[in-house]
Amino acid sequence: MNPPMKKILLMGQKKVGKTSMHSIIFASCPPRETSGIGLTVDVNQNHLKLMGNLALNLWDCGGQENLIAQYLSTQKESIFSNVSLLIFVFDVENEGQKANEELDVFQSIISTLATYSPNSNVFILIHKFDKIKESERKAVYERKHKEISQRADNINVQIKDVFATSIWDETLYKAWSFIVQSLIPNIEVISKSLQQLNDICSCDEVVLFEKSTFLIISFHTLVNNKSADVNKYERLANIIKQFKLSCKKVDMQIKTIQVRQSKFTTYIDEFTDNTFIMLVYFDQSIQPSSVIHNIQQAKLMFEQVQGYDADKLKLLLGK
């Protein structure tokens, strides 16, 4: 039986970039083309399916003042009932009165959410951080984070995380990867399976990407690898996504990528029906052919299972 569809609200004031960001993530829209996206003038529902069995109903809610007033009055039961997750987007450039008005809207929305969907989670995206000088970003983030947290005090919702994001770098992929991971059934099984695959292949790092979006589903890296930079996975996902878009323009598709240098080898391949796998190893005595063989054998195992990705990956645990 398929899990029930999860309702996600994407909210914030007008022109904060809500529609642009989900167009980049889920519709493969290049960032440079988002300037042509107009205002959302109502609630646009987008049905999405990830990892085979994760069905999402993303409600992109227009942020004009009159629409928000309707959400909080005549439409509040329809909008805020049965919500699994709220993503609220702030504009980092808003200061003074504009910032206070934005915080007022946020407080009203999470208060209503707590009434109709008290078990839902909340993620905050402080967006357009590319507009802030790099030297000032840490201080601005901490101040905004504190202001948002104060407004959420004593309201019965769980703020899972607060991200600083921009459509021009990997921060958007990092935020949405965490959001999607929080919704995936059996994410623990997937993580343990990757650890087992990492051991089988004697690799230093293994990363699982969702196939259509290239969002990171899970990863495993060796504990003794002190130089591991987790953010590099989001940067890589962003680069590969842009490369996929370039290939699509000339009617080509990515199947496999292999990069071999003096210090490391990286191998990326389709894995399950809905994922790509990336393996990284620094031991140059390991032959790529052996790694490829292990991946191909795992794929053959998966073909014997009628189920979703987590069911197939569970085979790696020998259970």
Side-chain angles (χ1 to χ4, degrees):
M1 180 181 295
N2 289 339
M5 183 175 290
K6 295 181 182 290
K7 179 179 177 181
I8 300 174
L9 297 181
L10 180 59
M11 306 190 81
Q13 292 186 304
K14 65 180 181 181
K15 296 183 179 180
V16 295
K18 302 183 298 295
T19 303
S20 294
M21 66 171 62
H22 87 69
S23 296
I24 290 170
I25 298 295
F26 297 108
S28 298
C29 178
R32 64 182 177 278
E33 294 181 13
T34 58
S35 59
I37 297 176
L39 290 176
T40 302
V41 295
D42 202 344
V43 177
N44 290 338
Q45 295 189 37
N46 302 270
H47 292 180
L48 309 166
K49 198 165 186 180
L50 305 175
M51 297 296 290
N53 64 336
L54 178 58
L56 307 179
N57 188 5
L58 179 64
W59 291 38
D60 180 8
C61 302
Q64 292 92 320
E65 189 175 339
N66 64 312
L67 291 177
I68 292 175
Q70 292 174 24
Y71 304 153
L72 296 171
S73 55
T74 57
Q75 297 180 15
K76 59 185 177 181
E77 186 171 357
S78 170
I79 296 289
F80 293 101
S81 294
N82 303 311
V83 175
S84 296
L85 188 148
L86 164 69
I87 304 166
F88 193 92
V89 184
F90 284 88
D91 187 335
V92 72
E93 291 190 289
N94 283 344
E95 297 290 354
Q97 183 60 30
K98 282 188 176 181
N100 286 328
E101 290 173 358
E102 192 173 36
L103 287 164
D104 288 342
V105 169
F106 167 69
Q107 191 169 20
S108 297
I109 283 174
I110 60 173
S111 296
T112 308
L113 180 70
T115 299
Y116 288 93
S117 298
N119 296 319
S120 58
N121 294 321
V122 178
F123 284 88
I124 308 297
L125 274 58
I126 309 174
H127 199 43
K128 302 183 181 179
F129 246 84
D130 54 283
K131 302 288 184 70
I132 305 299
K133 291 180 181 178
E134 191 168 352
S135 60
E136 300 175 1
R137 288 177 186 174
K138 185 176 184 292
V140 170
Y141 171 80
E142 290 175 350
R143 175 171 57 83
K144 294 278 187 179
H145 192 315
K146 183 178 179 180
E147 293 169 353
I148 292 165
S149 298
Q150 288 173 342
R151 290 300 189 104
D153 281 349
N154 302 317
I155 297 176
N156 187 27
V157 296
Q158 184 176 6
I159 296 183
K160 299 290 286 185
D161 216 331
V162 179
F163 296 96
T165 59
S166 167
I167 64 172
W168 300 107
D169 59 29
E170 72 277 1
T171 55
L172 190 64
Y173 278 86
K174 179 178 181 179
W176 279 90
S177 290
F178 271 85
I179 291 167
V180 169
Q181 288 166 23
S182 75
L183 295 167
I184 294 174
N186 300 317
I187 188 68
E188 297 84 4
V189 171
I190 293 174
S191 297
K192 290 179 181 177
S193 300
L194 285 190
Q195 182 176 350
Q196 182 67 14
L197 180 66
N198 197 84
D199 293 342
I200 292 170
C201 294
S202 300
C203 292
D204 293 275
E205 302 172 44
V206 57
V207 187
L208 191 70
F209 300 96
E210 199 280 325
K211 191 172 185 178
S212 61
T213 61
F214 245 80
L215 293 174
I216 295 170
I217 301 304
S218 186
F219 68 90
H220 178 73
T221 183
L222 295 183
V223 176
N224 62 0
N225 186 1
K226 304 293 186 182
S227 63
D229 171 15
V230 174
N231 290 329
K232 69 185 177 185
Y233 301 142
E234 282 82 18
R235 288 196 291 272
L236 182 63
N238 192 20
I239 291 168
I240 294 176
K241 184 70 174 288
Q242 299 310 312
F243 181 54
K244 284 182 67 180
L245 290 174
S246 299
C247 291
K248 190 175 181 180
K249 289 181 179 179
V250 292
D251 200 26
M252 295 177 64
Q253 290 187 336
I254 297 176
K255 292 292 184 182
T256 303
I257 298 175
Q258 184 174 318
V259 178
R260 189 175 178 91
Q261 294 190 347
S262 59
K263 294 183 179 180
F264 70 91
T265 299
T266 300
Y267 180 74
I268 302 172
D269 195 2
E270 291 181 326
F271 201 42
T272 64
D273 293 338
N274 304 288
T275 63
F276 271 85
I277 193 83
M278 181 180 78
L279 301 168
V280 180
Y281 46 100
F282 302 118
D283 184 351
Q284 294 301 292
S285 67
I286 298 175
Q287 294 301 312
S289 57
S290 63
V291 176
I292 295 170
H293 174 76
N294 285 331
I295 295 298
Q296 296 303 322
Q297 290 301 115
K299 289 170 150 182
L300 290 174
M301 273 201 313
F302 298 155
E303 291 175 0
Q304 301 170 22
V305 177
Q306 295 297 318
Y308 299 114
D309 291 74
D311 301 317
K312 295 180 179 184
L313 289 164
K314 194 185 299 183
L315 291 175
L316 298 171
L317 299 175
K319 299 179 180 179

